[in-house]
Amino acid sequence: MQKYIVIADDLTGSNATCSLFKKIGLRAASILKLQGDINYDVDVISYSTASRGLDKEEAYKKVSEAIKILKNKDVLVYNKRIDSTLRGNIGTEINAMLDNLEDDRIAVVIPSYPDSGRIVVNKTMLVNGVLLENSDAGKDPKTPIKTSCVESLIQKGIKYSSTYFTLSDIEQPIEEIVKKIQEAIKKSRVLIFDAVNNEDIIKISKAIINSDINIVTVDPGPFTLYYSKELQKKNHLEKKILMVIGSVTATTKKQIEYILQEEDIFLVKMKVEDFFEKETCLKEIERVISYIKKGIASYDLFLVTTSPIGDEKKADLQKLAENLNTTVEEISKIIANTLTETVVKILKETEKFEGVYSSGGDITIALLEKLKAIGVEIREEVIPLAAYGRLIGGDFPNLKLVSKGGMVGDEKTIKLCLHKIKNDI
């Protein structure tokens, strides 16, 4: 079930908001036709009502119909995506959102889009330094804008009372902004904010989170992005990466030592000597899972490995094979199976990871088998012999994966692979 719902008034805006959500690791789809019985298998559904140029009654009807179909109890964020130059039926469409959601929902309107030159100063929108009414949007032949006053444009057609927060309000400490928000919602269901840069929007997002209110984000995208990101932090929903490395090559050893210096990583070393008896193996797996859970709220990168680090000696597979009266190949298989069984349990019990990095062919094959994946959709080559893609089918469809051979790359290779997983949009 989708946890992020966007209702846009045109397709371009719908697509643009999806692109922003992708930047924080969420899978987003912009759809053209509403069908309530379809499982889209994404985190974000963005739907365009194509209502910007319609009359108010028809715009209200389209937004109402859309939200009735898409709303559900699991949604974290509802967004009424508006034009960055405030064209369209903004007030009417805010009415439709609030009328069809819970009575305690508050519309939080932040029209600024600093990265696109749209800022709001003391209720006045500037577009690349020009008053909104004198910009190209102001002269739009279909929906011209005749004022630069944000408050007037938002309130036009809206039936709910509003409170405006100027730059002087936003410059106050967050706790003071929270107090004003809590006072404002006693009489207003619409809060409108100035903002001149992304830092202002981030600060407002934090204040809204700290106010502990149910909201509808109303904006051209940035506020919804930063608010969703802050919400992820609050609810520990940040997307994380799990690395599983079983290779014992000198190349892998250098790569691990380098990445441990470069990134803040939650490291878990597994005890290979415990892998070969059922009881000790199960205890070791549970120890690692329990340990990972303790660090899940504080870290984004996790490494589970049997590879030697620093002065540690690598496991003597030949000696293990002789002691257990088996082959080196069978010992390697047990190690790979135990490592990947641990990883699969971590993925299932935490539900926090967006991607996996695996080093070693045996590890990757065993992992795919245990996840019941039918294959990997290869997106691109990170470096020669290191491929990035997403799982097809199985228990974790669309899970990001970088797989690499144990002797592939230089010391910076793991960092490159992690960067690919984190920044795929």
Side-chain angles (χ1 to χ4, degrees):
M1 188 63 70
Q2 286 72 47
K3 292 186 179 295
Y4 303 82
I5 301 296
V6 178
I7 308 294
D9 65 357
D10 81 332
L11 182 60
T12 302
S14 175
N15 294 343
T17 300
C18 283
S19 295
L20 291 177
F21 271 114
K22 296 282 277 183
K23 290 183 178 181
I24 55 173
L26 297 172
R27 296 170 298 150
S30 181
I31 60 174
L32 301 175
K33 186 176 180 181
L34 284 177
Q35 293 178 277
D37 57 344
I38 290 182
N39 179 12
Y40 293 95
D41 194 28
V42 292
D43 303 303
V44 183
I45 284 291
S46 183
Y47 172 67
S48 169
T49 55
S51 54
R52 183 175 298 172
L54 299 180
D55 61 52
K56 292 180 180 180
E57 291 75 17
E58 189 63 21
Y60 180 91
K61 180 181 176 183
K62 283 185 170 290
V63 173
S64 296
E65 289 173 347
I67 199 64
K68 284 175 183 177
I69 292 172
L70 291 171
K71 70 179 180 179
N72 69 78
K73 62 181 177 60
D74 296 320
V75 171
L76 294 173
V77 176
Y78 289 102
N79 169 237
K80 170 84 268 298
R81 201 279 180 184
I82 61 173
D83 176 50
S84 65
T85 53
L86 299 177
R87 294 170 295 169
N89 297 292
I90 295 174
T92 300
E93 296 191 4
I94 290 173
N95 289 342
M97 295 292 286
L98 293 179
D99 287 350
N100 289 283
L101 292 171
E102 306 92 329
D103 291 341
D104 66 343
R105 288 278 173 179
I106 304 295
V108 178
V109 189
I110 304 181
S112 298
Y113 201 144
D115 291 346
S116 293
R118 279 76 163 147
I119 64 171
V120 181
V121 183
N122 296 327
K123 302 184 180 182
T124 302
M125 175 170 276
L126 300 175
V127 180
N128 296 318
V130 176
L131 285 171
L132 173 61
E133 61 196 281
N134 295 330
S135 70
D136 289 342
K139 303 167 187 174
D140 183 60
K142 291 183 179 179
T143 52
I145 303 295
K146 298 180 181 180
T147 178
S148 301
C149 179
V150 166
E151 188 173 36
S152 297
L153 290 167
I154 299 300
Q155 287 181 332
K156 184 180 179 181
I158 205 165
K159 67 180 185 180
Y160 296 100
S161 62
S162 65
T163 298
Y164 202 100
F165 292 72
T166 63
L167 282 180
S168 60
D169 295 315
I170 297 165
E171 288 174 357
Q172 298 297 311
I174 286 180
E175 53 269 25
E176 293 300 319
I177 302 174
V178 169
K179 288 179 183 178
K180 184 165 184 181
I181 289 171
Q182 292 173 337
E183 190 63 31
I185 62 174
K186 293 177 181 178
K187 55 183 172 53
S188 301
R189 284 194 71 187
V190 180
L191 309 180
I192 311 170
F193 289 81
D194 278 352
V196 298
N197 51 44
N198 290 330
E199 287 70 28
D200 287 340
I201 301 175
I202 292 169
K203 188 176 184 181
I204 298 165
S205 299
K206 291 178 177 178
I208 295 293
I209 294 287
N210 290 346
S211 299
D212 196 26
I213 56 176
N214 289 325
I215 72 165
V216 176
T217 64
V218 182
D219 75 315
F223 171 51
T224 299
L225 171 70
Y226 293 121
Y227 174 74
S228 299
K229 195 169 184 178
E230 291 300 321
L231 202 60
Q232 285 185 332
K233 292 179 181 178
K234 177 187 175 184
N235 296 330
H236 304 302
L237 297 173
E238 304 99 314
K239 300 294 186 175
K240 302 171 187 293
I241 299 173
L242 181 58
M243 295 172 276
V244 52
I245 302 176
S247 172
V248 294
T249 67
T251 298
T252 298
K253 185 174 183 292
K254 288 180 182 178
Q255 291 170 351
I256 292 175
E257 290 170 353
Y258 179 83
I259 198 65
L260 289 175
Q261 292 292 323
E262 291 288 309
E263 301 284 352
D264 192 15
I265 291 174
F266 193 87
L267 171 65
V268 186
K269 284 295 302 293
M270 292 198 75
K271 303 172 185 175
V272 173
E273 62 271 21
D274 290 343
F275 287 8
F276 306 102
E277 294 289 340
K278 185 176 181 180
E279 185 176 344
T280 58
C281 184
L282 289 174
K283 284 183 179 179
E284 175 62 2
I285 291 173
E286 290 305 314
R287 178 190 72 85
V288 171
I289 294 171
S290 176
Y291 190 45
I292 290 282
K293 286 179 178 178
K294 290 178 181 178
I296 203 72
S298 304
Y299 290 79
D300 290 328
L301 300 175
F302 295 77
L303 170 58
V304 178
T305 184
T306 54
S307 301
I309 298 172
D311 296 330
E312 296 175 358
K313 293 182 179 180
K314 64 182 181 180
D316 189 335
L317 302 191
Q318 184 63 51
K319 188 174 181 180
L320 283 169
E322 290 173 0
N323 291 342
L324 296 168
N325 194 27
T326 186
T327 63
V328 170
E329 184 178 350
E330 185 62 25
I331 293 294
S332 296
K333 186 176 180 180
I334 291 170
I335 293 173
N337 281 333
T338 305
L339 264 174
T340 52
E341 181 180 346
T342 305
V343 167
V344 170
K345 286 187 175 182
I346 291 169
L347 292 174
K348 290 181 176 179
E349 293 189 25
T350 62
E351 296 184 337
K352 297 288 187 181
F353 292 93
E354 70 164 327
V356 173
Y357 166 89
S358 69
S359 179
D362 292 345
I363 297 293
T364 303
I365 291 171
L367 180 63
L368 294 177
E369 288 177 348
K370 287 181 175 60
L371 291 174
K372 301 175 184 176
I374 62 174
V376 180
E377 174 201 351
I378 301 300
R379 295 289 181 91
E380 64 180 282
E381 182 182 67
V382 183
I383 63 167
L385 301 179
Y388 166 72
R390 295 186 184 230
L391 301 195
I392 301 171
D395 295 331
F396 287 87
N398 287 311
L399 181 72
K400 298 177 184 179
L401 173 72
V402 171
S403 58
K404 183 191 76 66
M407 294 181 284
V408 172
D410 60 19
E411 64 179 9
K412 298 180 181 179
T413 295
I414 294 179
K415 188 168 185 176
L416 288 173
C417 293
L418 295 179
H419 181 80
K420 175 54 62 179
I421 294 175
K422 287 191 285 187
N423 292 279
D424 172 43
I425 60 171

